[in-house]
Amino acid sequence: LKAAADLNGKFALILRFLPEKGRYEVGLHPGGEKKAVQLGNMELLPSYEEVSVLRDRLGHPGVSAAVVRPALRRLDELNMSAEVLAETKVGKVVNEVGRTFAGVDDIAELAKRLVWRGGGKFP
């Protein structure tokens, strides 16, 4: 990026597509500040790094449902190997998020599905 060079090298989670702008709304990591970014100005992270970023977002004290929901959805979409699960320890964070948001049906269900997919318990 030239106009916003301070964003170069930053990690972000894609939140949604903004058709009126032709850009994606992203939440910067850490902190969650939102920006609208063109697809050509983003790079896909390797699975291990992406899972690590998502784990950190989910584990942030006071994390909101607005951050948790897309992060869990993305983890659900990823085809994580047992090695990535074990090395990132993302399952421990997902378990905690599931307990914290037990009263929020869609979040609790996503967390439960991820834990179940990990064999009922993450490494």
Side-chain angles (χ1 to χ4, degrees):
L1 294 171
K2 293 179 184 174
D6 59 310
L7 297 179
N8 291 336
K10 300 276 181 152
F11 294 117
L13 177 65
I14 295 175
L15 303 173
R16 63 188 173 124
F17 182 68
L18 303 168
E20 69 279 3
K21 294 183 177 185
R23 295 172 183 246
Y24 288 86
E25 182 179 52
V26 301
L28 297 177
H29 176 76
E33 180 184 359
K34 293 181 181 176
K35 297 286 183 182
V37 181
Q38 293 177 356
L39 181 61
N41 290 329
M42 296 186 278
E43 290 181 31
L44 187 61
L45 287 176
S47 292
Y48 178 86
E49 289 182 50
E50 184 174 5
V51 171
S52 295
V53 168
L54 293 168
R55 177 206 59 215
D56 293 349
R57 287 186 71 103
L58 291 169
H60 192 270
V63 65
S64 71
V67 171
V68 168
R69 203 171 273 112
L72 288 178
R73 284 183 185 138
R74 181 61 186 146
L75 284 171
D76 195 34
E77 293 169 356
L78 291 172
N79 186 15
M80 294 178 279
S81 68
E83 181 179 287
V84 168
L85 289 171
E87 288 180 16
T88 62
K89 299 188 183 347
V90 69
K92 291 180 181 186
V93 175
V94 169
N95 280 328
E96 183 60 35
V97 165
R99 284 192 294 273
T100 301
F101 289 90
V104 183
D105 291 343
D106 63 324
I107 291 176
E109 183 58 36
L110 271 169
K112 184 178 176 181
R113 184 168 56 230
L114 284 164
V115 170
W116 185 256
R117 196 171 77 191
K121 175 176 128 179
F122 281 104

